[in-house]
Every structure is written in C-alpha cells, then in structure tokens.
Amino acid sequence: MTGREDGEAMAAYQTGRRMVLALIIAIVGALLVFGGSEQNEHNHEAIESIGLALILVGIGGRLWSILYIGDRKSAEVVQTGPYSIMRNPLYFFSTVAAAGVGAQTGSIIIAVATMVLCAIAFHVVALREERYLKANLGAAYVDYAQRVPRFFPNPFLFRDETSVTFAPRTFRITFLDGLVFLLAIPFFEAIELGQNSGAIPVLFRLY
C-alpha cells in the first residue's frame, strides 16, 4: 500500500468516526426532544454543570490527543502523551464529552446511557482500525497493543517527549468537531423551554 493509499484509508476511518459521533448525537437528540428529567431543579442544574465540565474535558482531551498523533496514525506508532496510557484517546475523550451531552438533559440515566452507547460504537470502530494498523504497521503496533490498554487509560504508563510537531489543519478540524458537543447546551435548553411552555409534549421522564 502506497503512502497516498495509507492516507486515504486512514482518512476514510476518521471520516467514519466523525459520522458515528454525529449519528449518536443526532439519535440521542431526536429521542430526547420528547423526554424529560425527574430530578428536582437543584439536581437538574447540578447534573447540567457536571455535564458541561465533562464536555470541556472531552474537547480538551481530544485536542491534547491530536497534538501528538496529527496525521501520523497510519505512518508510525505514536507512544507518548495520551497514547502512552491508552491506544484510543480520541475515542475515550469523545465518550467523556458524549456523557456530558447526555447530562444536559438533567438525567443521570440519559448521561450514562449516552456514554455507554458511544463507548460501544467506538469500540466497534477501534477494532476495525486495529486490524488495519496491525497489517500496516506490523510488529511495532502489535507490541504496542500488548502493552497499552485499548480504551481505559493506565496513568502509570505515562511518558512524554520534550516537543511535538502537530498538523495545524488536523488540529483545526478536531477543534471544530469538538464544538459540536457544545451545541448540545443551547439545543437542550431550547427543548426545556419548549417543554415548560407546553409547545413540546413530554412523553417520558427519566431519573
């Protein structure tokens, strides 16, 4: 496989990842238009605030990850920074942010369900990517996969380097992707206003 074909193949995987993320957010958003929270106002606001923190952590973690990987995912095994403690930090932090999106409903159940749904979807995508990376990068990636967990970080494995060279275009795209998570805040606030005014019927409530 040529370098151009490598890049095209990995670009296809990354496009698929963004589509999975957008689909999850769209499905959750559509389902929750008619859903509500059983939490009292104080707990509702607290859950939303925690969700905002999770979204910011998720966005920050994704940017941290892309600084290290850039456009090198199909070309070499990156083993420093977030990639020293888990093999798929972009997916991990996207899942954290997705939990924050679910929390904007004020429901703990929805937040957890969104996180689990996202984790399952990314697990499937990661398995597919790993088959490609093992075939393309060979023994170096196999050794890396044996030492570093796929999804849940092991902070004791952390190691860094003195400097990194990043791809500005990829960083910009990742930043813009992350802003999609923040759109959940005004989206759910608008839904809540519509429900409170009676314009949107509440068909179910979850704790």
Side-chain angles (χ1 to χ4, degrees):
M1 187 177 286
T2 65
R4 180 180 178 181
E5 290 171 334
D6 282 344
E8 290 176 350
M10 188 50 61
Y13 284 126
Q14 292 171 347
T15 298
R17 179 186 67 211
R18 287 193 291 270
M19 290 179 65
V20 167
L21 184 59
L23 180 61
I24 290 172
I25 292 176
I27 290 174
V28 171
L31 290 174
L32 296 181
V33 167
F34 303 105
S37 170
E38 286 193 346
Q39 301 284 350
N40 60 47
E41 184 176 355
H42 179 269
N43 290 343
H44 186 105
E45 294 295 329
I47 292 170
E48 286 184 346
S49 297
I50 293 172
L52 174 59
L54 291 175
I55 290 174
L56 294 177
V57 168
I59 293 174
R62 283 168 52 83
L63 293 175
W64 180 41
S65 302
I66 210 67
L67 281 175
Y68 283 79
I69 196 71
D71 295 325
R72 300 184 293 161
K73 190 166 187 176
S74 62
E76 62 183 278
V77 181
V78 178
Q79 305 182 53
T80 54
Y83 290 89
S84 66
I85 59 177
M86 53 184 157
R87 303 202 301 271
N88 296 283
L90 281 167
Y91 297 161
F92 173 81
F93 286 113
S94 293
T95 301
V96 170
V101 170
Q104 295 311 303
T105 64
S107 167
I108 295 175
I109 291 177
I110 294 300
V112 173
T114 305
M115 178 182 66
V116 171
L117 177 63
C118 192
I120 292 173
F122 280 131
H123 178 73
V124 173
V125 175
L127 290 178
R128 183 183 176 193
E129 276 192 3
E130 284 179 12
R131 290 194 294 270
Y132 166 79
L133 293 171
K134 286 178 180 178
N136 193 55
L137 301 178
Y141 186 82
V142 172
D143 175 69
Y144 170 66
Q146 291 174 342
R147 292 183 292 102
V148 179
R150 175 181 290 120
F151 201 74
F152 295 102
N154 181 353
F156 296 104
L157 297 176
F158 182 79
R159 63 190 183 93
D160 212 344
E161 50 190 310
T162 55
S163 62
V164 294
T165 301
F166 73 98
R169 178 178 177 276
T170 305
F171 185 88
R172 183 174 64 255
I173 291 173
T174 302
F175 174 73
L176 294 176
D177 285 349
L179 295 182
V180 173
F181 293 109
L182 289 175
L183 291 177
I185 298 174
F187 175 77
F188 286 115
E189 286 297 327
I191 289 176
E192 189 175 339
L193 288 174
Q195 292 175 341
N196 291 338
S197 67
I200 300 176
V202 180
L203 303 182
F204 63 92
R205 293 186 180 276
L206 297 172
Y207 182 77

